[in-house]
Amino acid sequence: MLRSKLAALSLALGLMPPASMADCVARDFLALPLPEAPERPAIALALELAYEGLAVDEAAGVLTYNGQTFALGEDPGRRPQERLADPSIAETFAQVYPLAFDLGQREQPWFDPGRARSDALFKALYGAREAEVAASLKRADFRRGGTAARFSASSRQCVASQLQAALDAIAAEGPEVEKVFAEVGGSFNWRKIAGTSRLSAHSFGIAVDFNTALGGYWRWSGGTEGNAGAYRNQYPEAVVRQMERYGFIWGGKWHHFDGMHFEYRPELILHARLVSG
C-alpha cells in the first residue's frame, strides 16, 4: 500500500514515468483481450494498451505521457526510405507487422515494419540520456541445461519483466532452443545504428541480440539498401513466437534483415491484431 501511494505521489509530481515503480505482471500481447468492435482508431488503441500512463487524443492528434505532449502526425504515404530517418508516430505504423511465421513479405524491398522509430517518444518512455537509461536497467536471464545468457533491459514499462517472461517461456520449449543462446550479441548499448545518425533501439534498453552466428544481418551479407538479399533463417519458430507474445518484434521479418534482433514494440503486435480483425 505504501509503495503504491509513493508511486502515485511521485507520478503526480512528475518525478517518475508511469510503471517504473509498479509491480510488473507479464502480459501476453497475442492473447490480451481487444475490443470486439473498436470505435477508436487502431493506432490510438494499440498505443494506450501497450504503454501504461500514455493517453491518445485522436481528435486533437496528440498523445500525452508523463506530462509531455507529442503530435501523432500523419502518414502521407512517403516512401519507406524517406520516413525512416524521421517518422511521425503515425508513420511508425505504416507497415503492419506480420504475426504469421512467414518470411515471404520481407522479400519486398523496404518492407521493414518497426524499423521506423520515434526517438522522441522512446526518450520519453525510457530516458533521454545514456545515464538515465542505464539507471533503469534490470537483469534478465536465460537458463536451460548448461546454457545460460544474461541481458540488461529497462525496468520502465516493465520491459525487463516482459523479457524475463519470454526467456522463461523459450527455455520451456525444449533443447532445440539452446543453440540460440550458446553465444549472444548483447542488449543495452547507447549507440547509433551503423551507417546512420539514428539511435539504436539498444540505446533505450528495449532490444536484445541473441546468437549472431545464427541470426544473420543484411549489411554483413553484402546486401545494399533496398536490395538486402535472401535471408536463411536458423531461429526456431518457438523462439520468435514467445518473444512476440511478450511484446518483442523480430528483425528477421524485415527486408533489411537483422535475424538476431528483438525489440520491445508491443504497440505493433497489438496494432497488427486490431487491423487484422
Side-chain angles (χ1 to χ4, degrees), residues 40-41 43-45 47-48 54-65 68-73:
R40 299 179 62 201
I43 290 176
L45 286 171
L47 285 165
E48 289 185 354
L54 185 150
V56 178
D57 182 342
E58 53 266 35
V62 299
L63 64 83
T64 56
Y65 180 78
Q68 300 180 66
T69 300
F70 303 89
L72 277 174

Side-chain angles (χ1 to χ4, degrees), residues 213-241:
L214 296 179
Y217 181 54
W218 69 278
R219 288 186 183 274
W220 299 346
S221 70
T224 58
E225 291 192 343
N227 186 21
Y231 169 50
R232 187 173 66 86
N233 174 50
Q234 299 183 70
Y235 272 36
E237 179 178 355
V239 170
V240 176
R241 177 57 53 182

